[in-house]
Structure formats: structure tokens, C-alpha cells
Amino acid sequence: MDAHIQIKNLNAYYDDIQALKDVNIELPRKQITVIMGPSGCGKTTLLKTFNRFLELTDKTSITGEVLIDGQNIYERDIDVTEVRKRVGLLAQRPFPLPMSIYENVAYGMHIHRMKNNRNEYRKAVRHYLEVAGLYDEVKTRLTNPATSLSIGQQQRLCLARGLAVEPEIILGDEPTSALDPVSSQHIEGRLLGLKEQYTIVIVTHTLRQAKRLADYVIYMYMGEVVESGPAKEVFNNPKQERTRAYLEGQF
Ligand SMILES: Nc1ncnc2c1ncn2[C@@H]1O[C@H](COP(=O)(O)OP(=O)(O)O)[C@@H](O)[C@H]1O
Ligand SMILES: [Mg+2]
């Protein structure tokens, strides 16, 4: 496998509660990996170790390694801001910044001084709104506050904002769970379209969504990775009894 992310002997703790237990997995480049498993099994925790978001929560600690392109992102001299630029996170609910639609997308590009002039910023904002499938709905009101959008539109705006800083990896933590079915379909469609260019990792608790999106699957239970592998193999022929039980809906 051409692994983009490799996890070695990873343990994670909230104070003295262990949420991840000796996780060893590899995630393929430019495919969609879906992390699934029952509520509380550690999916969000695992995802947040991929861009060092976990340490934003108090009293968390980890041991082990997360390698992106072979480089451990927890090494001493790593620039955390750079890691989070390379590895973007689409949260469970959209959190637009308290500014206009336009500024939401331009914000990260400004911070990283990614463009040279206003015209370049304008072009890029339009481009990423198009990629996120939102441009036509907002092109006449780019200066309106982002909060004037529906939840589904806000989530696509957050996708555009995340893409604008040119990440290599997109993480999504149940990115459609707060959305209506049509908006969910929109986001799923975008993710499927983006996998040619990006490595995508999605947490979901719905098996149907996992089946629609996954090229590669990680099944977790109580802080452990029970099984991981190509989606076809895991769905059609799971190696572990616990995976089979989950797939058969025994949870
Ligand atoms: N901020 C926190 N403080 C203490 N325990 C937490 C915190 N967040 C999550 N946990 C615990 O860690 C475990 C894994 O949680 P999480 O990664 O959120 O699971 P999932 O996303 O699969 O539902 C759960 O037992 C949960 O109660
Ligand atoms: Mg979660």
C-alpha cells in the first residue's frame, strides 16, 4: 500500500482514561478511509491525533507515533500550525467564522499569505466555493454573513475554507450528521469527487454511509482497532467476529 498516514503503537488518554489502545494502522493515499464503530469507541479521538487537535483538549496525552509521509508529527521540532494546514478537519457541525461568506474562505489564505493580490484572492475564493459546490448559491451575496446560510450550506462553506489552505489530507468527523438528507448527499458527492486529489478520512456511525464512501475501512471497538483493510474485503468477508457482528447490525 502507498500509505500516506501510518500510526504506530498509538495510545491516547483523557487524564487517566485510556481512549485509544495500541493502535497500529496505515491509511492509503488519495482514497477515502472510513473509520467506523459504535459511539464512544474512540473514532473522534483517533481522528484528532492526525492533526494534533487532540492536544487542544485539556489533560489529554498520547504515546506512539503518527507519521505523515514518513514524518512523525509529534516530533519535537514540528511546526503544529503547518501540520494543521496540511491536515484539515471538517467538524461534526459547521463552525463558520463570524465574518462574511467571502472572508470565511479567504481567511486561511490571508493568514498564510498564500496569494499576492486581491484579484488572486477573489479568484481563489470563487474556485474553492465552486469545488465545494456552493458558488452558484452564494455568488450574489458573498459579503453577507456566513451565519445567514443554512446549516448544509455552512458545512460546504467550511469545506471550501478548509480546501483553500491547500491541505493534503481532509479529515471529516461525521461531517453530515447535522445535515438534512439532501445536504448530506451534497457533501458525500463532493468528498467522492475530491479523492483523486486528496487523502480523505471520514468518521461515520452509519454503515450505509460507510458503504457509499469507503475505499478502505477501519473498524474500532472500545479504543482498539479490531480490523482494517480494503472496503470490499472488510464488508464482504470480515476476518474478525466482532466486525461481523457490527456489520450484521448487532449493535
Ligand atoms: N473530553 C473528554 N474527557 C474525557 N473523556 C473523553 C473526552 N472525550 C472523549 N472521552 C472518552 O473517550 C472515549 C472515546 O471517545 P470518542 O473518541 O469521542 O468516541 P467516538 O467518536 O467513537 O464516539 C469515550 O469513552 C469518551 O467518553
Ligand atoms: Mg465522535
Side-chain angles (χ1 to χ4, degrees):
M1 182 208 291
D2 177 13
H4 199 167
I5 306 173
Q6 294 165 285
I7 312 296
K8 294 187 180 169
N9 309 317
L10 183 70
N11 295 279
Y13 305 84
Y14 294 95
D15 212 351
D16 55 359
I17 302 166
Q18 186 165 9
L20 295 178
K21 296 171 190 160
D22 198 33
V23 173
N24 286 281
I25 40 171
E26 298 194 335
L27 288 77
R29 189 186 308 277
K30 294 187 180 175
Q31 294 190 24
I32 300 183
T33 295
V34 168
I35 303 174
M36 55 184 201
S39 180
C41 71
K43 302 182 296 296
T44 296
T45 306
L46 179 62
L47 200 70
K48 285 182 171 175
T49 66
F50 296 174
N51 68 350
R52 297 190 53 170
F53 258 47
L54 190 63
E55 63 207 56
L56 299 177
T57 303
D58 275 349
K59 296 188 177 173
T60 52
S61 59
I62 72 151
T63 63
E65 294 178 16
V66 174
L67 298 109
I68 296 180
D69 280 323
Q71 161 111 87
N72 182 10
I73 62 168
Y74 288 91
E75 244 160 53
R76 221 169 255 271
D77 55 350
I78 289 286
D79 178 351
V80 181
T81 309
E82 184 61 25
V83 170
R84 292 185 186 142
K85 181 172 175 292
R86 285 173 68 193
V87 188
L89 175 70
L90 194 59
Q92 215 161 346
R93 296 181 155 275
F95 289 105
L97 301 166
M99 41 182 86
S100 72
I101 295 167
Y102 179 93
E103 287 166 333
N104 261 272
V105 183
Y107 182 79
M109 293 189 283
H110 276 302
I111 294 216
H112 295 288
R113 299 174 195 276
M114 293 173 70
K115 304 287 170 214
N116 295 311
N117 56 53
R118 263 182 82 168
N119 198 31
E120 283 185 21
Y121 279 105
R122 258 207 301 268
K123 270 198 197 148
V125 167
R126 174 176 176 157
H127 172 73
Y128 288 109
L129 285 171
E130 282 172 349
V131 174
L134 187 60
Y135 184 71
D136 285 339
E137 289 162 57
V138 299
K139 63 186 173 193
T140 59
R141 48 171 170 147
L142 289 173
T143 54
N144 287 10
T147 48
S148 65
L149 299 173
S150 73
I151 299 286
Q153 290 170 326
Q154 287 181 20
Q155 190 67 316
R156 278 178 279 150
L157 181 66
C158 290
L159 179 62
R161 185 179 73 197
L163 294 174
V165 297
E166 299 176 12
E168 301 161 25
I169 298 171
I170 304 168
L171 310 176
D173 189 0
E174 304 192 22
T176 65
S177 63
L179 310 184
D180 61 87
V182 173
S183 302
S184 299
Q185 234 176 7
H186 256 300
I187 292 281
E188 282 189 16
R190 292 296 141 181
L191 294 173
L192 286 167
L194 290 169
K195 73 177 179 184
E196 317 246 291
Q197 266 178 284
Y198 302 88
T199 296
I200 300 176
V201 189
I202 300 293
V203 165
T204 182
H205 65 269
T206 80
L207 194 52
R208 274 187 300 181
Q209 184 173 56
K211 288 183 174 171
R212 285 194 297 269
L213 294 179
D215 300 303
Y216 197 83
V217 171
I218 294 167
Y219 175 61
M220 297 183 69
Y221 187 70
M222 290 176 69
E224 289 178 54
V225 169
V226 174
E227 182 162 354
S228 65
K232 279 206 183 92
E233 283 175 27
V234 176
F235 288 138
N236 298 334
N237 199 8
K239 292 191 178 68
Q240 301 296 327
E241 199 44 52
R242 282 183 293 177
T243 315
R244 190 180 301 277
Y246 180 76
L247 294 173
E248 286 171 359
Q250 292 179 28
F251 285 88

